[in-house]
Amino acid sequence: FEFQRRQLGLDYSCPVCQSPAIIETLEHLFRDCSIVERFWSASDLGIRSTNGNSLNIQDWISNWLSFLKTTNNANLRILNFLSCCWIIWCNRNDLLFRDNPLCYQKLLTLWKENTRIALMAIKNCFRSFVADSTDDATGSSPPTQPVNLLANLPCVSLHIL
């Protein structure tokens, strides 16, 4: 992206969908690329990335985060959204710098694995949080059923504007 801004003589086409007629921009990489569109719609979030495609990428992401904040399990859905973005970015770089092929099935598999690992980490964090919250003086323990697991864990607190 920086090379493109400085107009250096490099190939600016999208390495993901390999369309020579399409210049890789952040909007294209995270929203408009045909591979990424399939990934978004196949994810648990079911995002139709073409909705709001007239927005710049910052506004598009901000709109989705604002929307996800209003849904059930908001923090988990926001975590999933950000995980999807991270997987797209890492796999784009893996394709560019290591020549590892990319397809939406690979993105989905990696996303599901990352989600599984994140949920295990949250579960372990919750166990640690409950253990640390036990009042040794009285021997009492905190409630075992928090209203919102993610909202009550300091280690996974998400603050989205």
Side-chain angles (χ1 to χ4, degrees), residues 138-155:
T138 64
S140 64
S141 60
T144 58
Q145 297 292 327
V147 175
N148 182 341
L149 173 66
L150 293 175
N152 292 320
L153 293 177
C155 59

Side-chain angles (χ1 to χ4, degrees), residues 76-91:
L76 184 58
R77 292 176 65 83
I78 289 169
L79 184 65
N80 282 337
F81 180 85
L82 297 174
S83 177
C84 286
C85 291
W86 181 246
I87 286 169
I88 291 167
W89 178 253
C90 290
N91 281 276

Side-chain angles (χ1 to χ4, degrees), residues 58-117:
Q58 293 86 354
D59 291 339
W60 184 81
I61 289 173
S62 178
N63 283 353
W64 274 109
L65 291 175
S66 295
F67 169 73
L68 292 172
K69 281 176 59 174
T70 67
T71 62
N72 291 334
N73 298 319
N75 283 345
L76 184 58
R77 292 176 65 83
I78 289 169
L79 184 65
N80 282 337
F81 180 85
L82 297 174
S83 177
C84 286
C85 291
W86 181 246
I87 286 169
I88 291 167
W89 178 253
C90 290
N91 281 276
R92 175 255 187 204
N93 290 337
D94 206 29
L95 172 66
L96 276 178
F97 301 115
R98 293 184 187 92
D99 204 26
N100 287 335
L102 189 144
C103 64
Y104 91 98
Q105 292 97 341
K106 178 182 176 183
L107 293 174
L108 273 177
T109 300
L110 292 170
W111 173 72
K112 287 177 182 178
E113 179 64 13
N114 282 357
T115 300
R116 186 187 66 76
I117 290 168

Side-chain angles (χ1 to χ4, degrees), residues 7 16 22-23 39 53 71 94 160:
Q7 298 180 350
V16 177
I22 296 176
I23 295 175
F39 171 58
N53 64 358
T71 62
D94 206 29
I160 306 296

